Each structure stands twice: as C-alpha cells, then as structure tokens.
Amino acid sequence: MSQPSTIEFVHVSYRLGTSRELLFDVNLSIATGEIFMLLGRSGSGKTTSLKLINRLLTPTAGEVRVEGVATTRWDAIALRRRIGYAIQEIGLFPHYTVGQNIGLVPKLERWPKTKINDRVREVMSLVDIPLDFIDRYPHQLSGGQRQRVGLARALAVDPPILLMDEPFGALDPLSRTQLQKEFQQLQQRLKKTVVFVTHDVGEALLLGDRIALLQEGKLLNVQTPKEFLTSNDPTTNAYVEAFRAGYKVLEA
C-alpha cells in the first residue's frame, strides 16, 4: 500500500507580475516520509515551488495542498509551525548564540524555558553539534557547523515536514559529503517528509526517494533514482540527458 500524500500540487502555476511565468501547470504528489528532490538548473522553478509549500508565495493558478488542505485555507502561522525550513545561507542571527538560535522557534511558541533548554540540547546531539558549542556565536563556527545549527533550528519544534533549499551547496566537498551521509542516517530515524532543492544530480540520486526534474518552470518528470538513470521514456529530452551525462562523468 502506498504512503498517503502530505503535499500535493494541483495544476499549480506562479506568475511574477503580469508576464513572467516562474511555474507552469505543475502536478505532483509527495508521500509522507519520503525525501523528494527538486532538481534543475537555476531559474527552473525549484525554490519557487518550495516557497509555495510554506506559503511564502501563493499560486496564481491551481492550489498547493498540505495534509489535504489548500495552503490558502491554512492560517499561515499554523502552517509554518508544521514545516521546518533550512536554506543554503543558513540565516543564523549573528548576535545570538548557538543555543539561542536553535531555541528561537520554541521561544516564539512560548515553550517553558526548561523545555526549550532540554530540546536545544536534544537536537544538538541529534545533528552532532558538541554540547560545549551552545554558547558560541555563528562567527566562531565552521561552515559545516553553522549548517548543522541551521538544521537543528529547523528541527527544534519537531515539525513533520522539512523544506531544504540547497542546504549543503556552499560547503567544501568533504564537508558536503559528510553532511549528506549524516542527513541520510538522520532521516532513517526521523522519517520526516522532506522536500529538498538541488542543482546537483549526484546529490539528488544519493539522497532522494524520488526526483522531480524541472526546466524553465515546467515539470518534466518524477522518477526514482534508478528510473532517472535507466528510463527509456520517449519523452526524454536533451535537458534530461545532460543531467544523466553529467552524473556519468562524475562517476567515471
């Protein structure tokens, strides 16, 4: 039996202003507990799709549904409480310590101070941040450590959905590989519904349960990693082949 859908795009389009179509008639369904990769080049509509899920953007046509309810019918704050958000730039507050950054959302949720402190330490351990870093500031951390703090903050209130916008893209190759492996192991434990934006086909194939390939705002296909590499779909175009070829070069 297939998993129920946590997120659905139903004939979703998004237009910027009066002329520029950033997303065009996208239909897809994301199952509960899967890592769903949004793959494509810059300008393909990946981040736009992500922002439509947590209502940072609103569709100009169609609807995005989260847990069966259109995002336009959700209270925006209630919706975002169910969604963690981790981005490449991390967005840590430089004047906040590690502990204060991670505990920010629980504090906004008016959790008791003791509960916040316990949860901060719990998620620090979960994402492999040494507990003696709790009073350090972001500028005292490496890029990989800051990214771990960003992930810990996204997980702080234990949301069922996690949005990740090229979270490892700015890291050096060794740090990136390490964090990818750690994230795989973490997901095996947490089973979040994850929507993950990347332009790196190797990352998509490594982490994804399924991969949605976007080109200039259009959804070309949704496939498992195996299907992505082996499919003989006659609709496959040069754009798809370019991603396959790029992966084969990396693997050679």
Side-chain angles (χ1 to χ4, degrees):
M1 185 175 178
S2 62
Q3 287 275 56
S5 297
T6 294
I7 300 165
E8 297 173 275
F9 281 57
V10 183
H11 295 293
V12 171
S13 296
Y14 180 76
R15 183 183 295 275
L16 186 63
T18 59
S19 59
R20 190 180 174 198
E21 196 90 53
L22 299 184
L23 215 60
F24 180 75
D25 196 31
V26 170
N27 292 277
L28 58 83
S29 180
I30 300 170
T32 300
E34 79 168 323
I35 301 180
F36 190 88
M37 308 298 291
L38 296 173
L39 175 66
R41 293 173 179 162
S42 297
S44 62
K46 307 184 300 298
T47 297
T48 297
S49 299
L50 208 67
K51 290 180 177 180
L52 288 166
I53 295 170
N54 65 355
R55 205 175 160 185
L56 290 177
L57 298 175
T58 302
T60 49
E63 65 181 23
V64 179
R65 299 170 186 163
V66 175
E67 298 175 346
V69 179
T71 55
T72 51
R73 294 177 57 199
W74 276 89
D75 173 80
I77 295 174
L79 175 64
R80 291 170 193 153
R81 284 173 179 163
R82 300 192 61 74
I83 298 174
Y85 197 27
I87 59 177
Q88 180 176 345
E89 294 84 3
I90 307 168
L92 300 180
F93 291 102
H95 57 291
Y96 279 19
T97 64
V98 167
Q100 289 170 332
N101 268 288
I102 296 171
L104 178 62
V105 178
K107 184 177 180 180
L108 293 173
E109 293 289 299
R110 301 182 184 278
W111 286 18
K113 187 174 181 179
T114 301
K115 183 180 178 181
I116 294 173
N117 291 338
D118 289 345
R119 181 58 178 168
V120 166
R121 286 165 172 77
E122 182 181 2
V123 292
M124 285 179 69
S125 296
L126 191 65
V127 301
D128 200 27
I129 303 170
L131 293 180
D132 60 3
F133 281 24
I134 195 166
D135 292 322
R136 294 192 185 185
Y137 290 88
H139 74 272
Q140 297 174 306
L141 308 178
S142 69
Q145 290 164 348
R146 288 195 296 272
Q147 196 61 64
R148 284 189 175 89
V149 175
L151 180 57
R153 184 174 63 184
L155 293 170
V157 294
D158 197 23
I161 300 168
L162 186 59
L163 307 183
M164 306 185 75
D165 194 351
E166 302 205 53
F168 311 137
L171 301 177
D172 64 85
L174 289 178
S175 297
R176 184 173 188 174
T177 298
Q178 182 179 356
L179 280 174
Q180 287 169 341
K181 291 178 179 178
E182 290 177 4
F183 179 72
Q184 277 185 309
Q185 295 167 357
L186 186 64
Q187 173 63 1
Q188 289 172 3
R189 295 170 57 187
L190 300 181
K191 301 296 184 184
K192 301 292 184 184
T193 301
V194 181
V195 188
F196 192 120
V197 164
T198 186
H199 65 272
D200 183 335
V201 64
E203 183 169 69
L205 291 166
L206 174 68
L207 298 179
D209 294 307
R210 289 188 299 154
I211 301 166
L213 186 62
L214 293 159
Q215 181 185 28
E216 296 179 353
K218 295 181 180 179
L219 177 65
L220 298 184
N221 54 43
V222 177
Q223 298 175 312
T224 66
K226 182 178 179 180
E227 290 168 342
F228 185 90
L229 288 175
T230 63
S231 174
N232 293 316
D233 186 342
T235 63
T236 296
N237 64 16
Y239 184 75
V240 179
E241 290 300 334
F243 275 94
R244 288 179 177 174
Y247 177 71
K248 291 173 183 176
V249 167
L250 288 173
E251 288 293 284

